[in-house]
Amino acid sequence: MAESNNKLSLDSMGGFVYFSLDKILKLTTKSRDKRLRTAAVNVQKAIFVAFQKDRAQARKDKNADKYFLPFKLACDYNRPNLKMLHTSLDAIQRMIAYGYLSGDTVADPELYPPIDLENKGRDKKDSKKPRKRKLIDVLVETIYMCSTMIDDDQVQIQVIKTLITAVQSKTCPVHDHSILLAVRSCYHIYLTARNTSNQTTARAILTQMLNVVFRRMEALAVQLQETKIKTQKTPTIKSPNGVAVAPKDEVQDPPERESPNVDAAEEKAGKGNEDGGVQTEVREIVEDLVNKVAGNEGKDGKEEAKAKSVPQPNSSNAKPVQEGDVGKMSEHRRLAMKLNVMQNDAYLLFRALTQLSMKKIPDSVDPVAIKSKALALELLLSVIQNSGPMLRTHPKFVGFIKEKLVRSLLQNCVSPIPKIYKMAAPMFLALVAQFKPQMKYEIGVILNNIFLNMLASPMSSYMQKSMAVVILLKLCKDPQTIVELFLNFDCDPACEDKIFESIIIQLEKVAQGRFMSEALMSPQNEQSLRLNALEALGHAMSSLINWCRILKKEQVQMASKERKEVKESAEAEDETSQSEERAGSSRPAFSAQFNMQRERRNMIEKSILLFNRKPKKGIKFLFENGLLKNDPKAVADFLKTQKKLDKTQIGEFLGDEKEFNKKVLYKYIEDFDFRGMEFDEALRYFLKGFRLPGEGQKIDRMVVKFADQYTLGNPYSNGGKFRTADGAYVLAYATIMLHTDLHNPGVKNKMSKEQFISINRGIDDGNDIDPTFMSHLYDKIQQEEIHMTDNAPSEWQSAATLNPRKRQTMFQKQTENLIKKTENLIRKKPRAKRRSNVPGKPDRKEGVQASGDDSKPDTETPEAVKTENVPEVDGSEEEVDEWYDAKHADLDSLQPMFDLLWCPAFATFSLVLKENDETRVANLCLENYRAAVQLSSIFSMDTPRDAFMKSLQHFSLLGTSKPLGYKNVEAIKMLLQIAYTDGDYLKDSWSVVLQCISEYDKLMRRSPASQTSVDVFESKKESKKPTKRQFSKIQQVHHQNAEILREQLDPALVDRVFTHSANLSSDAIVDFVRNLTQVSQTEVYTMNETPRVFSLQKIVEITYYNMNRIRLVWTRIWSILSAYFAKAGCHPNLQVSLYSIDSLRQLAMKFLEKDELAHYHFQKQFLKPFELIMANTQAQESKALIIQCISRMVLGRVSNVRSGWKSVFVVLRIAASSSDESLVHAAFALMERIMLNYFTLISNTLSECVSTLSSFAGNKFTKISLKSLDYIQKCANWLASEAKEKEKKEAQMDEKKKGQEDRGSANSRNSAHVSPSFPTWLALLTSCSQLMTDKRLPLQTRAMEILFDTLSAHGDFFTLPNWENIFTKVLFPVFNGVGAVPIAAPQNKPLPPIPNQPKGQGAKPKPPPPRAVEVSSPVWLKTTCLKAMTRVVQLFAKFQLKINSLLPDVLALINSCTSSGNYELACIGIQCWRELMSLAGDKFDDKDWTLVLEALHSLCEQTLPHELQAPRLRKSLGLPGKSPRKRKSDGDETNETNQKPPPVSKDKDTIRADLVVPHRVAVKCEIHRQMLEASFSTFEMFYNKFTQEHVESMLATFKSTIVFLSIFNSDVALRKKLFQAGFKGKDGKIFTMIDQEVQAYGFYMKMLQIMYKGSSPKFDDSKAADARLREVGAQVFKRYTTNVVSLEGKTTRDLESLGKVVCSLVEGFSNYSEHQLKVNMPVFFPWVLKLVEHGDLPIRRAISAFISKRITPLLPFEVDDSDEPHDDR
């Protein structure tokens, strides 16, 4: 044999087997191991023969299955030889590792008899028919028996090595029953091994086995999917023989290697302690594993049938087991079959471990059972944590997890054994992490009913509460998980429980320590629990921040990607449209739809609140908002499904007698299915949903319908208890009464069972109900009270008084109820239907659903995670709830999450930070403060940000007299850190940071080490100081706080806030500046302390830091700083004011370094504060400093000043109005310097310059005023020169119009627009016009000269609109207010219309509105006013062709002066009238004369004393209301005798003061007389230019005067009454106006005589005057002769005046033509004869001259003129 051994090759299978058997044979004995030796020798012979026959073929042989028998026999577990057993197991392990054993050969039952594992201890008759076994099954069974029967450390290690090698082997696959036995073996070793190393190795190998099984299943699933995709995309490749070939044959598993724990365990074999006491318990556990899992085919036959129906895949060298050739199958089919086997293995293992984890532990704590259960949970946790897509999505696994694993989790979560429930927590977290989409409903139920309930329960232990808090902590720590919990539970109307909100509320309670006193735990445990809850709240905010950052990053990447896609596909329209669709259907739709979901949920909750108050309002609200159909069935479903509804209100609503409520009640009860239910069970089930109302009729309606529904479901014919519904009704009512009687403590005499049966006899259609049934019903009601679903009595309130043992018992009872309730909820979970497209409107049956008719159109559903099915795998697909992935959310959809979070977090962190001084707690709270501020910034929520920032300010203790601690210093640091990192989002919260910095500076200045005092400026205000003792104590605290801050707070952190302001965004820097100015204002305007300028200094600093910002931002910044500096510059403390002005100067100098373009005004903006301070401050020192600053800025940066000149001039203008001589001189010195040296630079602001010069001219210093006027004239000359240059340039450019030199054409060309420089002209001229009313005569004269000289010299540059502005705004205002208000014409004397007057020209021109000035002195009227009026008229006359349209205004000015009532002013007006007529009359056309004569008529009417004929005056004097002539002329036929004159007033003074002013009447008369003269002179001068209408207007004017005067003069009674009242003439006699009347008659007659001459070229004036002359002449002659006769030869002044008129008339006869004389003599000659008789000497002489001239030549004889006739008188 030795020679033969040399021929064998050790590297071949035969050689290895041969030599391995040699080792075994050496360990055998002939008597004991006869069969083994025989089998071994036979195998060696077979190997030797094979090598001799064909050595090459023998070396190729790799199949050792035929040689396995001796190795199996060597593993004799009944009579073990440990060395031989160890050698045999080692050989088997190596053969598997080398691939020599495939295990696929069917085992011969005779050689390998089956081992009775499944039916051990059972009757053989009941055993099943033995199944076909493969060699691998024999191998595993053998190893299993070795592990269970032999307790040796080295054997255990070798068993573990062999099993893991077999499981990992690709050539020797272990499936089905064998894989379970392999796990069972390792499980047994872990439980029984005395060596700790063996236990550790067994546990590691178990984990590795599970990983291999599940990893292979996942890999096959991926490979199958890839193959299917290739099959669909790639055509099938055919081999030469026509057989389809796939590119891949096998599953490529990762390379396998032996675990290092195995070798380590071998080295430590034999070191463990023997412990035989646990063998029996371990054996029971392992046998239970086999019996319940491997052999439980009867229970789960259907599941295993599916798994075993698929043939096992063979190795490459093995023959197929079933019909057909696997190689001929398609690759896809082969992989599917193999995957099915892998799925079955994984499922069996998973199910076995789950059932082990569900095994109940006996009351006597069994350490082995605990160890077994803990290992099962640990292995399950490993599987769940490492689960792949197949395990997470396959319906078979998912269904099992929901049904079994969840039940195991529920039991273990509430286990009293810490080791068990500690394993349940990571299990639940793993399920949440891996199975969220598939287990949405289960996760919500477990969280709400187990962990949150456990946390809230006062009866749970510390460890259980700690576990619950840890679970919530882990959930909050995972950003995606916590966000998805919010999206899927708090935003989904289909979910009743708001999980996220409940988590936050419970964490808030725990962290704040509420309800902790009810649980018996040590202070250390309570503190630990609170700290964990606090960390959980912090992690919730941190997770939300992290997820928001992820979303922002993804949004940026998505936007970049979409832009790239659009750019690449710009040429292809279809690709562009696709990219637009992708861009359009992204997260905004998701956010909108989730907001709609939340809004819908909030509305539902609002309706529930309304229902709980008043059911009708709640139902009405649902109807109105489309949340519920107006249908009884929908309402009934709502009442049944909404758990938050108040049960009492439900009962009241259902019991209402209204028809709709009855229908709802019927639908509510008809929805119950009472089939097969006991009567008491049905009644309990019915009464769980509501509380019975108190009214009997309502209860009756409910019981009637219940009895009908119960009888319908349980008819008597099918075994029901009642023949009719009446019996059920009576018994139901009696049962309710019985329940009240038995369970009401107030009822002493309880109803007995006999009484109950007796009173219910004959109720079932006259028959009795079965007494046994009645007795059983009574017992059930007596034993168990009827409770509503959510209204069961709570025992929590009494928990605090119980001892720990009773508390534990009560908690166990409570947990059992919770588990039952949770399992029922999961079991009765409504089958989720496919939802509609709108997330806010679920389709599944709920109490609240949208109306089908009124629903809005569906929109797209947000993307949700769906369960994916593995193809080609049997299994029923279960529909799952829709799960919304957090990756598809956006910031808008997460904002409500922060809304729910920030209030509890704020309350918790602030409370904990207040109560706790520990470093860790303080840091944790402050970090969460920072996180909350960041979230507020992300979501742009001001309220939470302000709340957290103000709370930080509160904890900083700055500004208080409290000592600082660690947390206070850290709060200050956190404020500074937030300002540095999140400054862009602080907005108004910057005030908190800056106030703290201000208080920090104040505190540091109070420190003895500080070299500067906090009181920068002394305040004049006396503040209330503390007492000496109080001051010393407060000062000591301040000194200590300052030292603490100096040691622990780096000043660079404070400075960094201001230096970092340059990096803030545009909006943030504006907020920063605004809040900094507010803080500075607080410092400066402190009531009880001296002002500080710390923040004012920082304002200057940050201005330097941010100088490079764009102008648009600086405009916003400076609008804030400008207002603040303007206010600070006016501070009552002079030093603060001066400091503010100097700071402003520094900033202005910095700004002036930058150039400004022509049309920008930023310089004006930053110099605006100087204007405001100058205008508002009362301190002359501040004003003087501003002048100095302006001077230094302007003169130092004069080349850069653009729009800043306006502010400079405004400041100088304000200084010019000051009464301080030094300030005025300083300002004017700067003005002079500008005018002399930099006049060319201020051309764009010349109007401001002129206004400033005008202010200087108007001050009280005459020398400065006169110099200012000279500079104003300089400005005028410069403007004129600029205008000339402009005209020259325009003339050069307009060559086509060179010949048009006519000024009129030029004027018409320029009359359409206003010159751009005219505003400056207007300002210049206005300043001069204003100075013309100054009290200083030299200034008046100089201003008037400059004004009119400028207008006269440069008037050609002005257009008509310019002149209109000049007259209206410059010239006319000079004369406003110089006299009394113009006298209006009497209302009863309208102006006579001018015949054929053009439309629109009859109205009186309105003078410009008067300026509010005092009445000027007579000196001013005689000097400046007269000259000014004259110059105005001259100016008008000079430029009449251009400004003729201003004639109405000039006339109005003259009229206003003439009719002012001031004699001097009236004389000036009349003089100007004459001047105007003489200078401009020749240029008037007919329209102009119409205006002139209209004004003349108005003036004549206004100057008549109409008050002398006022009806009021006549009545006061006791006269009739109208004069007799006037009444007669007006046709008044009222009888004078019937009128009773009013009583005469005896108070003469009253009459004079109220009605008549003699002086005024006299002035009017004189003015009117002069006006008549001026009018007549105008008539004489320009008669030839008048038309007939003009002449008629003049005649009407004089005629109206004559009529008025004649009426007054003829009213003797009136004049006498006036005389009696004290109104007398100049001579002291009765007042009369006969002289004026005669004068008017004279002018009137002269006008008629002029007309009668017929000299007018425009009309036949002689004819027009003919009849009128005779009429008026006759009236004059008659009046004269009548008066002469009445006076009887006496002569009066009035008669003499009338005689002059007569003379004039007679003299006019001499100029008549022959025809005129012939026509008029028949009328006039009789009067001439009477005049000869009664006339005075002048009249007779005139008659004589007339006769001599015109009559004598007609006589037939000559008359001698030598002898004159004698006067008879």
Side-chain angles (χ1 to χ4, degrees), residues 1748-1764:
S1748 299
K1749 185 176 181 180
R1750 300 302 305 272
I1751 301 299
T1752 301
L1754 299 176
L1755 297 176
F1757 53 86
E1758 294 181 359
V1759 179
D1760 186 6
D1761 296 334
S1762 59
D1763 296 331
E1764 295 181 358

Side-chain angles (χ1 to χ4, degrees), residues 670 674-675 705-715 718 725:
E670 288 171 0
F674 296 131
R675 289 178 296 180
K705 184 59 182 175
F706 164 75
D708 181 71
Q709 185 70 12
Y710 182 78
T711 307
L712 182 64
N714 300 276
N718 291 342

Side-chain angles (χ1 to χ4, degrees), residues 1080-1098:
S1080 178
Q1081 185 173 349
T1082 305
E1083 294 177 353
V1084 171
Y1085 288 94
T1086 305
M1087 296 297 296
N1088 298 324
E1089 298 180 2
T1090 55
R1092 296 187 299 119
V1093 292
F1094 169 76
S1095 297
L1096 188 59
Q1097 295 173 349
K1098 295 302 178 182

Side-chain angles (χ1 to χ4, degrees), residues 716 721-728 760-769:
Y716 187 76
K721 300 295 182 181
F722 304 99
R723 294 176 175 84
T724 62
D726 293 334
N760 290 291
R761 295 185 185 279
I763 62 174
D764 188 16
D765 197 16
N767 300 311
D768 294 341
I769 302 177

Side-chain angles (χ1 to χ4, degrees), residues 480 484 487-488 547 590 863-865 883-889:
Q480 183 172 355
E484 289 178 350
L487 293 177
N488 288 278
W547 196 252
F590 183 92
E863 297 184 26
V865 178
W883 181 267
Y884 299 105
D885 196 335
K887 295 180 180 179
H888 302 105

